[in-house]
């Protein structure tokens, strides 16, 4: 396996270009079936040659977003371990790693196997490993070219991990690689995570006493108690970060962190980049016995961003700074006009995300790749599995059967999981050439 630096398997990424296009890839017309993904791209295909319903990515927007977050992280002295769960697209993970990401954040055993297969060198798992098969697998593959850091949030978790690895050692006759752990601090209205600093200290003490476990940091998810970006929500985030720092300092003073490891403090950071960076970075210069302390922000939505939910809570947009750009669009064709002012589109819940807001009609034209006009005063009012209901004012807007509507979308996490193959356009407006095909693995 050939590794790049930052580490991922170059040969595995290249092999995705040899995937044969066929009926599995719903945006690719049958005329291209039998070609490899690389052949398809090399032919100079553009948007007009695809079919609806369709999800596309925008290379220029993604490049802007990568530059924006990389420059911000470098200036603030914090590292990124973006949520690979957002895209489950190793090709996009590689781009994030090339821009300096520490590693990739994933959620479960299946996702870690995707990362391992593609040579991703560092994985952060902000969950507790509880499946014995997953624990054994992590212990067996951890080494110089694959590192997993996972979380614990209870004494039960620590006991279960230690017992599983002790049994594994007795069964195999070999000592498993110690699991690298972070203790998770939650909150009263949080998701997972220990609910108090005292509980965090009890857990850290238990990890330090274990034979097959080592403690390398503390983490949490500040977005659970604050799912917006108003001042009250941001103050909740700041209060949470104060507690995290307090817990970190107590663990450090208690000597529960592993003596031979650099340390990690990690939060999500999506809506509160500056607060996370400014507050947690105060720990970097603290005395850690010669160990480096890294602050990791796990936000993964920045790469693709969106036109609704994340646009509204984005730190950069709120601060009047150069905002992230929406790098995904839906394209759907009008298939019916059953009544005045209503058009039915050929894409619905099976094609576009809806959990953080319905799609936003932006442009309309006679076909894919044709000149489009702004779609003013229109909205998607509901969705069925295969249809979106477009309401518009027939006095000011003309919509015909066969027209194509470009949609702004909300929440990339639930956009990517609907597509196994996503065309990437150079630019969704000006240069609509397909410059790559992104494969997903959900």
């Amino acid at each position: 396996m050939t590794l790049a630096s930052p580490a991922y398997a170059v040969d595995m990424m290249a092999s995705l270009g040899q995937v044969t296009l066929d009926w599995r890839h719903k945006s690719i017309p049958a005329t291209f079936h039998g070609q490899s993904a690389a052949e398809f791209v090399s032919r100079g295909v553009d948007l007009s040659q695809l079919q609806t319903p369709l999800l596309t990515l925008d290379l220029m927007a993604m490049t802007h977003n990568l530059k924006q977050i990389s420059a911000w992280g470098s200036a603030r002295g914090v590292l990124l371990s973006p949520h690979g769960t957002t895209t489950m697209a190793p090709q996009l993970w590689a781009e994030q790693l090339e821009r300096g990401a520490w590693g990739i954040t994933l959620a479960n055993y299946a996702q870690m196997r995707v990362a391992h297969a593609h040579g991703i060198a560092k994985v952060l798992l902000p969950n507790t490993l509880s499946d014995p098969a997953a624990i054994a697998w992590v212990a067996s593959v951890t080494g110089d070219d694959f590192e997993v850091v996972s979380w614990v949030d209870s004494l039960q978790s620590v006991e279960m991990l230690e017992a599983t690895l002790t049994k594994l050692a007795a069964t195999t006759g070999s000592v498993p690689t110690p699991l690298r752990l972070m203790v998770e601090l939650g909150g009263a209205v949080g998701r997972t995570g220990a609910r108090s600093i005292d509980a965090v200290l009890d857990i850290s003490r238990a990890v330090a006493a274990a034979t097959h476990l080592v403690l390398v940091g503390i983490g949490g998810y500040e977005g659970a108690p604050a799912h917006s970006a108003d001042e009250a929500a941001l103050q909740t985030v700041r209060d949470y970060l104060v507690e995290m720092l307090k817990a970190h300092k107590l663990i450090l003073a208690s000597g529960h962190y592993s003596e031979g490891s650099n340390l990690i403090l990690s939060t999500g950071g999506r809506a509160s980049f500056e607060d996370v960076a400014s507050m947690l970075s105060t720990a970097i210069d603290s005395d850690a016995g010669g160990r480096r302390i890294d602050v990791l922000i796990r936000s993964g939505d920045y790469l693709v961003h969106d036109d609704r939910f994340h646009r509204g809570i984005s730190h950069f947009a709120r601060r009047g700074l150069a905002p992230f750009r929406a790098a995904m669009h839906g394209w759907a064709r009008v298939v019916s006009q059953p009544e005045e002012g209503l058009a039915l589109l050929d894409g619905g819940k099976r094609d576009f995300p809806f959990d953080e807001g319905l799609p936003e009609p932006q442009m309309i034209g006679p076909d894919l790749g044709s000149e489009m006009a702004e779609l003013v005063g229109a909205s998607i009012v509901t969705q069925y599995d295969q249809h979106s209901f477009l309401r518009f004012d027939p006095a000011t807007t003309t919509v015909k059967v066969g027209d194509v509507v470009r949609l702004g979308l909300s929440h990339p996490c639930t956009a990517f999981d609907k597509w196994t193959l996503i065309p990437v356009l150079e630019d969704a407006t000006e240069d609509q050439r397909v410059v790559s095909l992104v494969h997903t693995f959900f």
Side-chain angles (χ1 to χ4, degrees), residues 402-427:
D403 283 351
V404 170
V405 176
R406 192 185 87 179
L407 301 166
L409 304 176
S410 183
H411 201 196
C413 297
T414 51
F416 277 70
D417 63 351
K418 296 167 176 55
W419 299 84
T420 58
L421 189 75
I422 306 173
V424 180
L425 308 179
E426 177 69 25
D427 176 70

Side-chain angles (χ1 to χ4, degrees), residues 82 109 144 183 186 306 329 333 336 343 371 376 382-383 405-406:
Y109 178 25
D144 293 338
V183 61
D306 72 9
H329 296 94
R333 197 176 299 273
S336 176
E371 184 175 347
V376 178
T382 192
Q383 284 183 306
V405 176
R406 192 185 87 179

